[in-house]
Amino acid sequence: MSNSLKKKKLKDYCYFILLVVILDYLLISNLFNMISYANINKEDIKLDLVGDTNQVLTINEEYIDEGVKVTLNDEELTKDDIDYTVENNVNTNAIGEYTVTYHIMYNNKTYDITRNVSVVDNEKPSIIVLTSKVSQNKCGNNLLYYAFDNYDGVLTDKVKVSDLNNSYELRVSDSANNETVVTVDKASITNNYVLTLNGTLFNYVEKDSEYVEKGVTVTDICGKEVNVSYSTEGSVDTSKTGTYTIRYYIDGVDSFQERKVIVYDKYASPVIGNSDEKVIYLTFDDGPGAYTEELLDILNKYNVKATFFVTAQFNKYIPLIEREAKEGHAVGLHTKTHEWNIYRSFENYYKDFSDMNAIIKKYTGSETNIFRFPGGGSNTISKSRSLGIMKYNVSKMSEAGYVYYDWNIDSGDAAGANSKKIYNNVITGISDRNYSIILMHDIKRPTIDTIEKIIVYALDNGYTFKTLSSDSPTVHHHVNN
């Protein structure tokens, strides 16, 4: 090979090597620039909770949202820079575990951060002993007391009394296991009297309305009424909201009685919804029970949806709440225990309500805000537990955002009507109105036996079945207590 050819090939080779070096340089340089550009423009969004990540509140303590701090590349953003929403299910009136989740939207991306809130009860219940010493004679003793808790309400029937040698020990615990123990001395006292409240321990009175004092009855220790005058201490000013205590006593006698009077501002419930034409709301109370599954099968057959105001009376059937929700029925709250003693105080009622809502959440994934009072809003059996409590309950529950439903058609099944009578009651009722909320019970066999006939009649005559929600038109009875 000639020298000139060798030189040409060497020159070409050198050019090739130079081109490779230049291309490598450009490639590496471009890659470096891309990485640098990405680092410069990377959005480093950071969310930090203001305040405690795990916050603990005592029952009825106000929750104050301290918010969240949002930074972009270490520079704090304001609410004007971002879209900002908060999911908050905290209910400081009920013991439980809650969450507050902050959703931050920036540059078409969503960032979330959650605060955990525990609502606890660490306050001990009170035992009010209505005499400092207990006299004993042939009729027994005059150990008089009542117990009350800030969350559970009246606990008098939960007090355990132990008869010691020279004293009585009274012991009570609330649902949070806070315990109170009180000791009362025994003594031989003559001419002792017992004062018994006329009416109820708790009275609920609307602001600016009249408070009627019912006084006490005086008996001897054997229960015989005696004509002895008594005095009162304390007064009620219905022009000012608050809790007032009236004490009744006899001069020189080591015993007394107390009454609590709660004066409150009535909450004006908003009017909800408008009536629809020929709409039926089937509502079933007191279950789930032994017949609920059969009822669900019938409703499913006709694709009819109903509203169930549920309880926890029958443990075996409680899981059916899950099926009710999954099949498109509305799950409302009736009560957990369906015991009338929930009306002894608002605290008693709300404790039962909250416990049931926790069960509903377990089986449906969320709590409900629709409910029905045991006995309805017009019940009078509550008068023997607390005077005026229904008006107070209606006001407080409405203020808290809950919506209650009575009914404008009573099937009569709770009163023992047979299937034929139930059918006639319902068909007659719906023919008189376009908007029908029907009271029925899924724990009554005659109701299950006739519900299919009712559904067929309604569908054949142009009625539509719907479920209740917080936006449905309400039916409220007159509140009689």
Side-chain angles (χ1 to χ4, degrees):
M1 181 181 295
S2 67
N3 288 333
S4 59
L5 184 60
K6 288 181 179 179
K7 288 180 179 180
K8 184 177 184 300
K9 283 188 175 182
L10 180 60
K11 185 178 181 181
D12 290 343
Y13 179 75
C14 290
Y15 282 140
F16 174 75
I17 295 298
L18 180 60
L19 180 62
V20 170
V21 170
I22 292 172
L23 289 174
D24 284 346
Y25 172 78
L26 291 174
L27 180 63
I28 293 171
S29 177
N30 187 53
L31 181 61
F32 176 79
N33 288 336
M34 289 174 62
I35 294 172
S36 299
Y37 181 82
N39 286 334
I40 291 171
N41 290 276
K42 181 180 178 182
E43 293 177 354
D44 186 14
I45 291 284
K46 184 180 180 183
L47 275 60
D48 293 295
L49 292 171
V50 179
D52 297 330
T53 302
N54 299 299
Q55 189 169 353
V56 179
L57 301 174
T58 57
I59 194 74
N60 298 322
E61 180 184 354
E62 182 183 3
Y63 170 71
I64 299 175
D65 186 8
E66 296 186 77
V68 63
K69 179 182 177 182
V70 184
T71 56
L72 172 62
N73 298 329
D74 297 327
E75 182 177 343
E76 186 172 355
L77 301 179
T78 68
K79 287 187 178 181
D80 294 331
D81 301 320
I82 57 178
D83 289 325
Y84 181 104
T85 60
V86 181
E87 265 185 88
N88 178 355
N89 68 349
V90 176
N91 180 1
T92 61
N93 294 318
I95 294 172
E97 301 296 324
Y98 304 95
T99 56
V100 181
T101 301
Y102 305 86
H103 302 288
I104 310 300
M105 282 77 73
Y106 181 78
N107 200 15
N108 296 321
K109 293 182 180 179
T110 301
Y111 305 86
D112 297 336
I113 191 169
T114 297
R115 189 194 311 278
N116 300 308
V117 180
S118 301
V119 179
V120 300
D121 177 18
N122 51 20
E123 184 175 330
K124 293 182 178 182
S126 300
I127 299 177
I128 310 300
V129 181
L130 302 172
T131 181
S132 60
K133 295 182 180 180
V134 181
S135 63
Q136 292 182 297
N137 64 19
K138 62 182 179 180
C139 296
N141 64 62
N142 67 336
L143 179 60
L144 304 174
Y145 59 89
Y146 66 86
F148 182 78
D149 183 65
N150 65 313
Y151 181 58
D152 295 328
V154 180
L155 293 177
T156 305
D157 56 356
K158 306 291 185 184
V159 176
K160 296 179 180 179
V161 180
S162 300
D163 190 346
L164 308 180
N165 288 333
N166 298 310
S167 62
Y168 289 101
E169 182 186 82
L170 292 78
R171 185 182 298 266
V172 69
S173 296
D174 62 16
S175 59
N177 295 319
N178 299 306
E179 185 180 57
T180 297
V181 180
V182 173
T183 301
V184 185
D185 291 336
K186 295 179 181 178
S188 296
I189 304 175
T190 58
N191 296 324
N192 211 343
Y193 298 106
V194 177
L195 286 77
T196 303
L197 287 175
N198 297 331
T200 57
L201 173 61
F202 282 84
N203 283 212
Y204 295 86
V205 181
E206 290 179 18
K207 184 183 176 185
D208 298 323
S209 63
E210 182 184 6
Y211 166 64
V212 179
E213 175 56 61
K214 293 195 172 184
V216 295
T217 297
V218 183
T219 65
D220 63 22
I221 198 170
C222 294
K224 182 180 178 180
E225 190 170 345
V226 293
N227 186 20
V228 175
S229 61
Y230 62 87
S231 302
T232 61
E233 186 178 278
S235 61
V236 177
D237 182 357
T238 60
S239 70
K240 297 179 181 179
T241 60
T243 300
Y244 300 86
T245 299
I246 307 296
R247 176 171 289 200
Y248 310 85
Y249 62 94
I250 298 172
D251 290 337
V253 175
D254 189 30
S255 65
F256 61 94
Q257 268 287 6
E258 281 187 345
R259 192 191 313 275
K260 302 293 183 182
V261 182
I262 296 91
V263 178
Y264 65 96
D265 256 330
K266 183 179 180 180
Y267 176 77
S269 302
V271 177
I272 299 173
N274 295 307
S275 296
D276 297 290
E277 290 297 307
K278 299 190 77 170
V279 174
I280 293 175
Y281 296 87
L282 293 175
T283 69
F284 297 94
D285 289 8
D286 294 359
Y291 310 126
T292 303
E293 196 158 15
E294 185 179 349
L295 171 61
L296 289 169
D297 290 340
I298 295 170
L299 295 173
N300 188 53
K301 176 181 177 181
Y302 293 93
N303 194 29
V304 166
K305 307 305 178 185
T307 301
F308 291 86
F309 290 109
V310 296
T311 72
Q313 295 184 93
F314 313 104
N315 288 335
K316 179 180 177 181
Y317 302 102
I318 292 175
L320 285 173
I321 293 174
E322 182 176 5
R323 180 182 169 186
E324 291 169 355
K326 283 185 175 179
E327 294 186 358
H329 304 288
V331 177
L333 195 154
H334 194 33
T335 178
K336 181 185 179 185
T337 62
H338 210 286
E339 294 178 356
W340 294 112
N341 277 343
I342 62 173
Y343 290 135
R344 291 182 296 185
S345 70
F346 175 74
E347 288 78 7
N348 284 98
Y349 174 78
Y350 196 76
K351 170 68 164 55
D352 186 280
F353 183 95
S354 299
D355 287 350
M356 190 62 217
N357 227 347
I359 293 172
I360 290 173
K361 183 177 181 180
K362 174 183 176 181
Y363 288 103
T364 69
S366 61
E367 294 182 342
T368 183
N369 64 346
I370 63 171
F371 71 103
R372 176 171 286 159
F373 289 111
S378 60
N379 83 82
T380 56
I381 196 168
S382 58
K383 283 185 177 181
S384 63
R385 274 68 179 182
S386 292
L387 195 62
I389 191 170
M390 289 310 302
K391 289 182 179 179
Y392 186 79
N393 283 350
V394 166
S395 179
K396 294 296 287 185
M397 297 300 286
S398 299
E399 187 177 358
Y402 298 103
V403 180
Y404 79 96
Y405 288 91
D406 289 321
W407 55 90
N408 56 12
I409 297 175
D410 186 353
S411 69
D413 59 354
N418 59 26
S419 294
K420 183 178 179 180
K421 180 64 174 173
I422 292 170
Y423 178 84
N424 289 336
N425 287 341
V426 172
I427 301 308
T428 301
I430 64 175
S431 66
D432 291 338
R433 53 182 57 85
N434 289 328
Y435 175 75
S436 303
I437 297 181
I438 304 171
L439 173 65
M440 309 181 89
H441 295 78
D442 52 334
I443 62 171
K444 299 293 183 180
R445 181 71 248 176
T447 297
I448 311 305
D449 292 337
T450 196
I451 190 64
E452 188 167 4
K453 286 179 61 181
I454 292 172
I455 291 172
V456 170
Y457 174 89
L459 292 175
D460 286 345
N461 285 274
Y463 289 89
T464 300
F465 290 95
K466 291 186 177 182
T467 59
L468 291 172
S469 71
S470 57
D471 296 323
S472 303
T474 52
V475 170
H476 289 165
H477 298 165
H478 177 72
V479 180
N480 296 312
N481 180 32

